[in-house]
Amino acid sequence: MKSNAVIAIHGGAGTILRTSMSAQAEAQYHAALHDVLLAGQRILADGGHALDAVTEAVRLLEDCPLFNAGRGSVFTADATHELDASIMDGRTLEAGAVCCVKRLRNPVLAARRVLECSEHVLFTGEGAEAFAAAQGLALVDPDYFHTDARYRQWQLAHDRQQTMLDHDGASRASLPADAAAVAVAVAVAADAQEPTPQEPLDPNRKFGTVGAVALDAQGHLAAAASTGGITYKQPGRVGDTPLIGAGCYANDATCAVAATGAGEMFMRMVAAYDVSAQMAYRGATLEAAANDVVMNQLLRIDGRGGLIAVDREGNVALPFNTEGMYRGYARVGETCITDIYR
Ligand code: ASP
C-alpha cells in the first residue's frame, strides 16, 4: 500500500533581502532544512508516529543556531531569552506547551512531556522548568542561548529604541505596551540600517518561529512549534506559538498546522484552528482554508507571516504573506523539497 506519510517544516517567515543574501548563506539554510526533513522522513519511513517526527524535527531546529528557537533565539528588551513551544497530537487532541522558559535547552521536549505526563496543557516560566527538570530534561545556563548574531540584532534594536526615546523626550515607562508595536518600531528602525550581509531574510524584520507538521502511515496527524519570540519583546510577553489553536493545532479529522509571524495577530485570529475549522465546518480543502487564513483573515488585521499545514490525505500547504519563509517538505520515498522565497 502506498503511504501518504509526509512531513513539512518551517524556519520562520519575513522580509526578504535578496540583495543581501550570499550564495553561501542560502546554501546553509537549505542544507539545515534538508537535514531536518531527512530526520523526520526517516522516522515516518520506519513506520514511526507523526508525533515523534514533529518532535524530532523541532528539536533539531531548536539546536540549529540559524533559526529563532532554542539556541539562536532572539533577545528580549532586557537582553535575556524567553522561549515558548507547543505540540499537539491529532489522534487524541492531547496537547502540551511551555512558555517564558529561560533554561530549557529544548522547549519542545518539555511540551511533549506536558502532553504525555501531565493533566495540564500549558506551564509557564519557573513552573515549566521545574516540571521539565522533574521529568529529567536538560536545563542549561541561560548563556547557552546567546549567539553573537542575535546579540547584534538586540544592540541595533536597543540603540534605535534609545534614539527614539531621546527624540521623543519619553521615559522608558512609555515604551509601546505590546510586543507587536515594539517589533514594528524595531522594523521601522531597521529600515535605516545597512542589511547584514549573511542573512537572506532581514533579521530585524524576520519572524522566526520553527515548526513541523506531519502525517504518518497510520493516518495520524501532529504539529509542533517553538520560538524565541520577537526581537526586543517586553519580558513576559507571550505570542501565539505556545497557544494551542493560535500557533499550533492538529486534529486527525482535518489537518495539522504550525504558524509563524506576528504572534498577536495569529492569537486574535485563532489562526491555526481556523484552518481546521474551515475544513470541518464549510468543507474547505486544506489549500483553500490555509490560503484564506493567511491571505485574507490575517491580512485584515495586518497579520504578517505564514503557516505550514498537512491534511489526512497528505496534501501540503505552505502559504505566507511575507516575501519569504524558510520551508520544506518531504514525502516518504521522495526527495526533500526546500525553499526560501515566494
Ligand atoms: N509567532 C512568534 C511570536 O509571535 C514569532 C514568529 O513566528 O516569528 O512569538
Side-chain angles (χ1 to χ4, degrees):
M1 189 181 83
K2 188 177 172 331
S3 162
N4 288 335
V6 60
I7 181 165
I9 61 172
H10 76 77
T15 299
I16 204 160
L17 288 179
R18 274 182 190 276
T19 46
S20 72
M21 181 189 63
S22 69
Q24 191 195 4
E26 187 174 328
Q28 264 186 328
Y29 278 95
H30 278 290
L33 292 169
H34 185 265
D35 288 352
V36 173
L37 283 172
L38 269 187
Q41 187 188 47
R42 202 171 304 128
I43 291 172
L44 296 176
D46 290 345
H49 293 142
L51 197 63
D52 291 329
V54 298
T55 305
E56 179 62 1
V58 170
R59 185 188 71 81
L60 291 170
L61 288 162
E62 286 177 341
D63 282 352
C64 176
L66 290 176
F67 303 106
N68 172 16
R71 184 147 188 280
S73 285
V74 298
F75 286 81
T76 69
D78 284 355
T80 55
H81 291 96
E82 295 182 351
L83 282 52
D84 309 324
S86 63
I87 187 163
M88 187 162 186
D89 186 348
R91 183 178 37 172
T92 58
L93 301 186
E94 288 173 316
V98 294
C99 66
C100 264
V101 295
K102 299 178 174 180
R103 295 187 305 142
L104 290 183
R105 176 183 164 139
N106 289 110
V108 73
L109 297 184
R112 174 81 186 254
R113 291 299 173 97
V114 175
L115 182 157
E116 285 176 331
C117 307
S118 155
E119 59 183 306
H120 305 299
V121 170
L122 173 62
F123 281 93
T124 181
E126 286 174 10
E129 289 167 2
F131 171 83
Q135 292 290 325
L137 294 183
L139 293 185
V140 289
D141 189 276
D143 276 358
Y144 167 80
F145 298 109
H146 179 107
T147 57
D148 290 344
R150 297 294 183 206
Y151 191 66
R152 280 195 299 276
Q153 280 174 247
W154 178 86
Q155 277 177 318
L156 171 63
H158 187 66
D159 291 350
R160 295 298 305 191
Q161 190 71 60
Q162 295 309 313
T163 307
M164 275 165 24
L165 289 178
D166 291 348
H167 186 259
D168 294 348
S171 72
R172 184 173 167 76
S174 69
L175 280 174
D178 78 86
V182 173
V184 169
V186 169
V188 170
D191 277 347
Q193 304 288 322
E194 285 297 307
T196 316
Q198 303 307 328
E199 284 250 14
L201 298 181
D202 175 348
N204 304 296
R205 303 194 66 174
K206 185 179 78 178
F207 304 114
T209 294
V210 306
V213 292
L215 169 73
D216 63 30
Q218 295 77 42
H220 298 305
L221 291 163
S226 182
T227 192
I230 291 179
T231 302
Y232 217 73
K233 66 184 180 183
Q234 283 196 326
R237 175 268 184 187
V238 176
D240 60 316
T241 307
L243 298 188
I244 297 303
C248 176
Y249 189 73
N251 185 338
D252 273 8
T254 51
C255 61
V257 181
T260 175
E264 283 68 15
M265 320 309 164
F266 284 72
M267 290 152 85
R268 288 162 56 194
M269 278 295 168
V270 201
Y273 177 71
D274 195 26
V275 178
S276 170
Q278 291 202 29
M279 294 177 72
Y281 301 144
R282 75 175 180 91
T285 63
L286 180 80
E287 194 186 0
N291 277 333
D292 181 61
V293 169
V294 173
M295 302 303 182
N296 299 327
Q297 307 308 329
L298 281 164
L299 284 183
R300 277 172 48 205
I301 55 169
D302 202 25
R304 300 284 161 178
L307 58 80
I308 55 172
V310 55
D311 70 13
R312 56 189 180 157
E313 263 113 47
N315 296 305
V316 171
L318 312 167
F320 53 97
N321 59 34
T322 50
E323 281 88 345
M325 179 167 82
Y326 300 113
R327 64 196 185 277
Y329 67 95
R331 297 186 182 283
V332 166
E334 294 183 19
T335 314
C336 303
I337 310 288
T338 60
D339 216 340
I340 298 175
Y341 305 109
R342 210 190 278 278

